Amino acid sequence: MLFNVMTICILVALGAAYFVPRKMWYVIGMTLIYQIKYYYIGAIYHFDDIFNAKYNKTDLPSVSNKIAIVTGGSKGIGAEVVKKLLQCDMEVIIACRTTTAGEKLILEIRKSGITSGRAKVYKLDNCSLDSVREFAKKIKADYDRIHILINNAGVMFIPYRVTKDGFEEQWAVNYLSHFLLTSLLLPLIKIGGNPDDCSRIINITSCAHYISDIDFASINNSSKDTFLTLAAYGQSKLAQTIFTVTLQKLLTDKSLNVLVYCVHPGIVNTDLFKDTILGRYRWLMMGWKTPEQGAIPIIYAALNKDIERKGGIYISNCKEYALPSAALKEKIQKQLFEFSLKQVRLSDFF
């Protein structure tokens, strides 16, 4: 049976190679390789979610004096994060592209019986660096400190699209916009922290960072003909993880009371999969984490006292996991940081 399946696959591949232009062979081959990698790492982490479900829990302490920002906070995991932060009696800023969606979420949360906390909605389009700058400007005008920044907004496996700033959309939304936002809001985040209770920055990454690389040559020079959406997504998430480790080093060197964490929510059933085969056959995602379960490790990273003074780590299921090897290489850390500064036109992150 296995021999028959392999034979069919080889015949199909040979047939495709005959009819497909040679310049597309690389794209097709690499896409298949990445699909295999994603199914492999996805299966591992799905079972990890099952076996470690008992650890995926955290308290919801009352912290009425704190202010948090959640990007992409109007739907999916972000909406569940907002809900849990409000249960902690915090002031929560929902940063989202469509403000009406954020307002609708607040109404739904209040109707569910949660009356604690304060919620506000601000417009933020992570596809636009100008929108990031405008959002940061408004926050600085309205607030003098921020205690928690959760960089959650993201897109996954989308067709090739370039933002008006000239960047591939997954790179721009998942990583670069958050790099810029963190820099612009850092003055408020610094003020929000103190030696006994540090401010926190949470970068939402993915287990995909284990199977990805940073290809600096392709970031600004990708094209529709050679674009690999699976590679682009993984690269953007690996960048988030590397940024977490690098920024924590810089903050520690400056003796700032700010902690940075990267969090994998788990294999979660959300609309992020709408552009994949799983999105067309939702039953394939039965048994995956719910958005509420995916929000729990994010809340853990934002509020848990057991990880105070332990920044720069990677969290999944409310446990610390090993970082990908690329995130530990100082040469890559430095190169990515300097590369990102140039892309967002900053001379100094601080």
Side-chain angles (χ1 to χ4, degrees):
M1 179 66 179
L2 180 60
F3 175 78
N4 291 339
V5 172
M6 291 178 64
T7 302
I8 292 171
C9 290
I10 293 171
L11 290 173
V12 170
L14 290 173
Y18 180 80
F19 291 106
V20 174
R22 182 167 295 185
K23 66 179 181 180
M24 293 300 295
W25 289 4
Y26 172 79
V27 174
I28 293 172
M30 289 303 298
T31 297
L32 288 173
I33 289 172
Y34 268 100
Q35 284 179 334
I36 293 169
K37 287 182 177 181
Y38 271 102
Y39 283 123
Y40 170 74
I41 196 69
I44 288 177
Y45 264 77
H46 171 56
F47 287 110
D48 183 82
D49 289 343
I50 294 173
F51 295 139
N52 289 299
K54 61 183 178 181
Y55 300 109
N56 193 51
K57 56 186 178 180
T58 190
D59 296 329
L60 298 177
S62 177
V63 281
S64 58
N65 61 324
K66 289 194 173 184
I67 302 166
I69 295 175
V70 183
T71 71
S74 64
K75 60 182 180 179
I77 296 173
E80 293 294 335
V81 170
V82 169
K83 183 177 180 179
K84 290 184 180 300
L85 292 176
L86 288 174
Q87 288 178 282
C88 296
D89 202 24
M90 297 179 62
E91 180 163 342
V92 184
I93 297 166
I94 302 171
C96 56
R97 183 170 53 185
T98 307
T99 55
T100 53
E103 299 291 354
K104 180 181 178 182
L105 172 66
I106 295 173
L107 289 175
E108 291 173 351
I109 290 174
R110 296 313 185 194
K111 286 180 180 179
S112 73
I114 298 172
T115 58
S116 55
R118 291 84 58 207
K120 295 182 180 180
V121 181
Y122 283 72
K123 183 176 179 59
L124 172 62
D125 183 355
N126 286 77
C127 280
S128 167
L129 297 184
D130 283 342
S131 179
V132 173
R133 295 184 182 97
E134 183 62 25
F135 170 81
K137 182 179 178 181
K138 289 180 179 178
I139 295 298
K140 288 178 177 178
D142 294 346
Y143 294 88
D144 63 358
R145 67 193 62 214
I146 295 295
H147 302 90
I148 300 169
L149 170 62
I150 299 177
N151 291 320
N152 166 76
V155 291
M156 184 174 72
F157 302 161
I158 60 175
Y160 181 73
R161 290 198 292 262
V162 177
T163 67
K164 70 176 185 178
D165 299 296
F167 304 113
E168 188 275 319
E169 191 169 321
Q170 290 179 103
W171 179 257
V173 173
N174 298 349
Y175 169 64
L176 199 62
S177 62
H178 288 128
F179 177 91
L180 176 60
L181 180 62
T182 303
S183 173
L184 297 178
L185 293 182
L186 194 57
L188 302 189
I189 297 171
K190 289 190 295 184
I191 295 172
N194 63 69
D196 297 320
D197 190 10
C198 293
S199 297
R200 299 192 184 188
I201 300 166
I202 318 298
N203 293 320
I204 309 307
T205 186
S206 164
C207 60
H209 62 193
Y210 284 124
I211 60 171
S212 305
D213 297 302
I214 296 289
D215 183 358
F216 292 99
S218 71
I219 291 172
N220 279 342
N221 298 299
S222 59
S223 68
K224 187 175 182 179
D225 291 337
T226 59
F227 179 65
L228 298 170
T229 188
L230 301 178
Y233 174 76
Q235 181 170 246
S236 69
K237 288 304 181 179
L238 176 58
Q240 279 283 65
T241 302
I242 297 171
F243 173 50
T244 298
V245 178
T246 307
L247 181 57
Q248 186 62 71
K249 285 183 178 181
L250 296 172
L251 293 168
T252 301
D253 289 344
K254 292 180 177 292
S255 300
L256 298 176
N257 299 308
V258 182
L259 297 168
V260 195
Y261 303 96
C262 55
V263 178
H264 171 55
I267 308 301
V268 183
N269 187 343
T270 72
D271 286 341
L272 272 180
F273 290 91
K274 66 180 183 296
D275 292 311
T276 72
I277 190 172
L278 297 170
R280 293 189 289 274
Y281 303 98
R282 304 286 294 193
W283 60 270
L284 291 171
M285 295 189 280
M286 290 178 61
W288 289 15
K289 274 185 174 182
T290 64
E292 189 273 336
Q293 291 170 325
I296 290 173
I298 300 172
I299 299 297
Y300 173 86
L303 295 172
N304 190 274
K305 286 296 182 182
D306 292 341
I307 54 174
E308 185 75 21
R309 290 297 174 189
K310 199 177 182 184
I313 62 174
Y314 166 51
I315 294 169
S316 180
N317 288 316
C318 301
K319 295 173 62 179
E320 180 181 352
Y321 281 59
L323 288 157
S325 59
L328 300 174
K329 296 178 181 178
E330 292 187 4
K331 181 179 179 180
I332 295 178
Q333 293 171 5
K334 182 179 179 182
Q335 188 175 0
L336 177 62
F337 202 80
E338 293 177 350
F339 185 81
S340 304
L341 285 173
K342 290 180 181 178
Q343 287 191 316
V344 299
R345 303 192 303 277
L346 286 177
S347 59
D348 187 348
F349 189 86
F350 294 89

